[in-house]
Amino acid sequence: MSSETLAARTPAVTTKLPAVGTTIFTVMSALATETGAVNLGQGFPDFECDPQLVHAVTDAMARGLNQYPPMTGVPALREAVADKIESMDGRRYDPATEITITAGATQAIITAVLAVVRPGDEVIVLEPCYDSYVPNIELAGGTVVRVPLVPGTFRPDFDRIAAALTPRTRAIIINSPHNPSATVWTREEMLRLQDLLAPTDVLVISDEVYEHMVFDGQRHQSAARFAALAARSFIVSSFGKTYHVTGWKVGYVAAPASLTAEFRKVHQFNVFTVNTPVQHGLAAYMADPRPYLELPAFYQRKRDLFRQGLARTRLRLLPSEGTYFQCVDISSVSDLPESEFCLWLTREFGVAAIPLSAFYADGFDQRVVRFCFAKRDETLNAALERLARL
């Protein structure tokens, strides 16, 4: 038989991520588009960023800054990040050896996991958690150890975290301000984590992408603010979240030099480097700190507008201490499970939300769903009009 007559055959591949399918975010966004619903499900703004930021990026392009930057990131941007962390959190990271610019926070997290987690290592995640954490650990060959946050309040349960620590624990992933619950860890909680980990060699991956969205006069308690935590932490943040440009996919990681060296080994062969003109534009834009310093007030006004409207419905408001999310208890409205409620709400009332059960491996259902209020006032008011009919 000649090679020309052989049937084409694609070899079978055994998946590395058998549990991964279509995400709830994809499902709900598609349904919102299909039904014309107001999409308060997926977490992205429906308004534009500051035109000055766009100008700074296009100016960088026009000046010919379009070729590969250094693998670690444009020096001016790493310097700007170091200055910002020092001014906000009181710790100076060396821009040359301790800050790396990444292709968004999601890439930063998987790179940190791949850099330090080996087959057989255990990594603690606190559920409900962002959907990339578990697949990242599994791709590294690690074992996921799930510890629930306290149901209802979503505070860290340090007794359960302590019980989950073993000689095989390599890292713990924390997230504050927290997606999806909108809780913010306190100084006392960060100190408890610091004390708990002190006798161990456990590393921390601290997802702080909503660091500039903390409300009611609270302060973001970055791992950078605590010497013993900072010494073992990869701190991850996102320009996309801070500057309303989620599609640009640029973030950063701050970590001690020894951890950064390992991070960069993986980063170099993962994405190598990140969009050059966007980095230069961000560096120029960061010369003025007002955009991130004013962000808490910007989003608190939207939160308050949305909460005032929700208070006139039968949905029960949970606290929203940070992020741009608002969770509500649906018990007074429906007996449906969270996921079915979100489908029903989208189809019958034209508002898309996300079930919190999607953030738990076992689909734990607390009768709570999440809305995103990073939207224009007109969008929020349109959603509130529809929700008032519940």
Side-chain angles (χ1 to χ4, degrees), residues 23-33 38-46 130-131 179 210 241 246 249 324-325 351-355 359 370-375 379:
T23 71
I24 188 65
F25 308 102
T26 300
V27 170
M28 295 310 304
S29 288
L31 184 60
T33 299
V38 179
N39 189 357
L40 302 188
Q42 202 161 359
F44 59 84
D46 72 344
Y130 183 60
D131 61 353
N179 174 20
Y210 299 101
K241 296 291 191 298
T246 58
K249 296 300 296 177
Y324 44 49
F325 300 118
V351 180
I354 296 292
F359 297 86
R370 188 200 77 179
F371 294 112
C372 172
F373 56 79
K375 309 295 177 183
T379 304

Side-chain angles (χ1 to χ4, degrees), residues 4 7 18 23 77 86 113 134 137 150 193 212 244 313 337 346 361 381:
E4 293 180 0
T23 71
L77 183 55
E86 185 175 25
V113 170
V134 168
I137 297 162
V150 177
L193 180 67
H212 297 297
H244 319 308
T313 75
T346 305
N381 286 324

Side-chain angles (χ1 to χ4, degrees), residues 84 88-89 175-178 184-187 190 206-215 217-226 235-237 252:
K84 188 204 76 166
M88 298 289 291
D89 302 312
N175 173 211
S176 177
H178 183 246
V184 175
W185 282 36
T186 65
R187 174 177 172 80
M190 295 297 285
S206 186
D207 180 351
E208 303 184 13
V209 298
Y210 299 101
E211 60 175 319
H212 297 297
M213 302 172 205
V214 178
F215 310 134
Q218 291 191 77
R219 183 168 197 155
H220 169 56
Q221 299 297 332
S222 172
R225 298 178 61 81
F226 305 87
I235 296 171
V236 177
S237 194
Y252 66 81

Side-chain angles (χ1 to χ4, degrees), residues 118-154:
R118 289 163 178 77
D121 286 348
E122 294 177 351
V123 181
I124 295 171
V125 298
L126 306 178
E127 289 190 313
C129 65
Y130 183 60
D131 61 353
S132 80
Y133 299 168
V134 168
N136 291 176
I137 297 162
E138 292 173 342
L139 285 170
T143 300
V144 179
V145 178
R146 297 175 174 86
V147 175
L149 297 168
V150 177
T153 66
F154 303 102

Side-chain angles (χ1 to χ4, degrees), residues 116 170-173 197 201-205 231-234 259:
V116 301
R170 184 59 176 149
I172 180 172
I173 303 178
L197 299 183
D201 289 327
V202 173
L203 298 169
V204 175
I205 300 173
R232 64 175 74 227
S233 292
F234 296 93
L259 297 182

Side-chain angles (χ1 to χ4, degrees), residues 69-75 78 95-97 99-102 260 264 267 272-274 279:
M71 178 268 288
T72 56
V74 166
R78 284 184 278 129
T97 61
I99 290 173
T100 309
I101 306 303
T102 64
T260 294
R264 288 175 175 177
H267 175 79
F272 175 56
T273 192
V274 178
Q279 289 194 61

